[in-house]
Amino acid sequence: MAKIVKIESCSDYENLNDAAKALANGELVAFPTETVYGLGANALDTQAVKNIFIAKGRPQDNPLIVHIADKEKIYELVCDVPKEARKILDNLTPGPVTVVLNKSDLVPDVVTAGGKTVAIRIPESEIARELIRRAGVPVAAPSANTSGKPSPTKACHVAEDLEDKVSYIIDGGSCRVGLESTVVDLTVTPPQILRPGGVTHEELSALLGEVVGYAGGTSEKEAPKSPGMKYRHYAPKAKMTVFEGENIEKCILEEIKKHQGKRVCVLCAGVREYTDVISINCGDTPEDYSKHLFDALRFADSEECDVVLAEFPFKRQGITVALFNRINKSCGGNVIECR
Ligand code: TXA
Ligand code: MG
């Protein structure tokens, strides 16, 4: 059973020491970041990293992100640091962005799923960086959920999925962003976004010049460059439908009528509520909605909903590209345009 360590301010950081030691010694420790909670292991310890895959039920071909606390640590993990990487490190980190670079021999194959590149990220969360610094090792960490389930944005979500599989859960409260980091491949020219996330295409282009945006639609048949994007993800147990466009309210009211006698949950974007259903207000900005989406999907599961209907009134730009990517995966592409 995991020990829960609650960190409320920097005066609690001493309480990270036991977890940091366990992490360095090959145990699994879940920790908060500004994006989602991570399931951490010592990235240099092959067996510890294998245990991440076992704990999550994660496919072996899906590589992990290596987390470091300080920029200088990147040099031992990669062959070279091109100028684009330097710019990202200097301007956007610590923050919700991950760079893919050619790996050094120090990085075990299990971390990169046998590939020649490694994904590296410096989280903005002080708690995450403090834990990594105290462990004294780079930390491989996927999101701390069972594979396929919504990513965890609160410590209780981690406990739901992994309580008996990790040594410690560091509780740092709710994650600021609520969606995973942007993954950008810097081994190609121009750089290419492999997963949209907390740092936007617009921000990356402003910094680097041309950047190829997330292409989307990666299917099982292609050999995706970011293997994680091909799997069913972020899904609640209920059948889920997302509603976009001008007449969302009308569409949802009609849809609710079709499910009489079922438990229906509606994810609302701030403005309205619906009667005779479980309404969850996710917030009226893309930022708020992103922060609450995964929590809302887990809540719908805990309420044993049969049907989840989600309002999606946002234009697809900035952070909304990442938000749409996640909600689209959650509903398995079941998006209705309401005219
Ligand atoms: O915000 C985040 O990135 C969170 C927190 C915990 O840091 N982590 C996270 O990890 O989302 P995970 O494992 O759930 O997703 C990592 C994504 C996957 O889509 C994976 O395929 C991709 O990054 N990835 C990892 N290493 C890669 C590599 N060398 N080349 C291309 N894609 C890579
Ligand atoms: Mg994940």
Side-chain angles (χ1 to χ4, degrees):
M1 201 62 129
K3 291 198 188 79
I4 313 275
V5 180
K6 200 166 171 64
I7 304 289
E8 272 165 323
S9 72
C10 50
S11 57
D12 295 336
Y13 286 169
E14 289 300 303
N15 301 339
L16 292 170
N17 288 344
D18 289 347
K21 211 176 285 168
L23 191 50
N25 288 335
E27 293 178 40
L28 299 185
V29 174
F31 61 96
T33 83
E34 76 282 13
T35 58
V36 301
Y37 275 73
L39 170 59
N42 178 348
L44 306 181
D45 180 334
T46 295
Q47 188 54 50
V49 175
K50 280 188 182 159
N51 290 341
I52 289 181
F53 286 87
I54 296 167
K56 275 187 64 112
R58 181 179 176 104
Q60 296 281 344
D61 67 349
N62 194 3
L64 302 175
I65 295 173
V66 177
H67 297 67
I68 55 177
D70 302 288
K71 289 187 231 185
E72 297 65 41
K73 298 285 182 196
I74 201 169
Y75 290 97
E76 57 202 51
L77 301 171
V78 302
C79 294
D80 61 330
V81 179
K83 67 174 185 308
E84 292 81 8
R86 190 23 80 194
K87 282 188 184 171
I88 290 178
L89 290 174
D90 289 343
N91 294 285
L92 297 174
T93 70
V97 60
T98 295
V99 293
V100 172
L101 294 166
N102 290 312
K103 85 176 195 72
S104 74
D105 291 340
L106 190 66
V107 180
D109 285 339
V110 61
V111 171
T112 65
K116 289 192 166 58
T117 61
V118 63
I120 297 184
R121 145 165 157 79
I122 307 178
E124 172 192 293
S125 159
E126 290 277 356
I127 300 174
R129 279 184 286 133
E130 200 55 40
L131 176 73
I132 297 164
R133 267 191 211 113
R134 284 169 196 251
V137 292
V139 174
S143 48
N145 52 289
T146 302
S147 259
K149 289 204 16 177
S151 296
T153 53
K154 292 177 175 172
C156 61
H157 301 160
V158 180
E160 244 166 56
D161 286 13
L162 298 170
E163 193 168 37
D164 53 353
K165 295 181 175 152
V166 301
S167 300
Y168 291 87
I169 298 173
I170 312 297
D171 180 353
S174 296
C175 300
R176 180 181 72 78
V177 179
L179 303 178
E180 299 85 347
S181 63
T182 305
V183 178
V184 54
D185 186 355
L186 299 178
T187 67
V188 294
T189 314
Q192 186 182 356
I193 295 176
L194 303 180
R195 177 177 72 180
V199 164
T200 63
H201 187 191
E202 291 84 342
E203 283 174 278
L204 286 168
S205 304
L207 187 66
L208 305 179
E210 190 188 352
V211 173
V212 179
Y214 176 61
T218 306
S219 75
E220 302 259 350
K221 284 181 207 134
E222 297 166 48
K225 288 179 73 185
S226 187
M229 298 309 282
K230 75 184 175 188
Y231 295 106
R232 184 175 148 84
H233 247 120
Y234 318 118
K237 288 183 202 127
K239 178 171 166 38
M240 178 168 169
T241 310
V242 173
F243 297 85
E244 279 196 296
E246 295 297 309
N247 283 308
I248 291 177
E249 184 175 17
K250 180 168 148 269
C251 275
I252 290 191
L253 287 170
E254 278 167 15
E255 190 67 25
I256 289 172
K257 278 193 209 139
K258 293 184 200 158
H259 299 288
Q260 302 253 336
K262 295 234 172 93
R263 272 177 91 73
V264 178
C265 171
V266 182
L267 309 196
C268 304
V271 197
R272 41 186 171 249
E273 285 205 348
Y274 296 84
T275 46
D276 299 330
V277 298
I278 301 168
S279 284
I280 305 177
N281 186 355
C282 290
D284 59 356
T285 63
E287 287 76 13
D288 263 355
Y289 204 113
S290 299
K291 189 177 161 120
H292 294 121
L293 174 66
F294 292 144
D295 186 36
L297 294 176
R298 282 180 180 261
F299 182 73
D301 274 350
S302 71
E303 288 289 312
E304 302 191 329
C305 291
D306 307 301
V307 176
V308 173
L309 310 176
E311 295 187 332
F312 195 83
F314 310 115
K315 284 211 181 69
R316 293 193 215 161
Q317 60 191 27
I319 183 80
T320 309
V321 175
L323 176 58
F324 183 77
N325 171 263
R326 304 307 191 277
I327 204 167
N328 188 41
K329 280 180 180 281
S330 302
C331 72
N334 193 16
V335 179
I336 291 179
E337 170 82 29
C338 307
R339 291 177 204 281

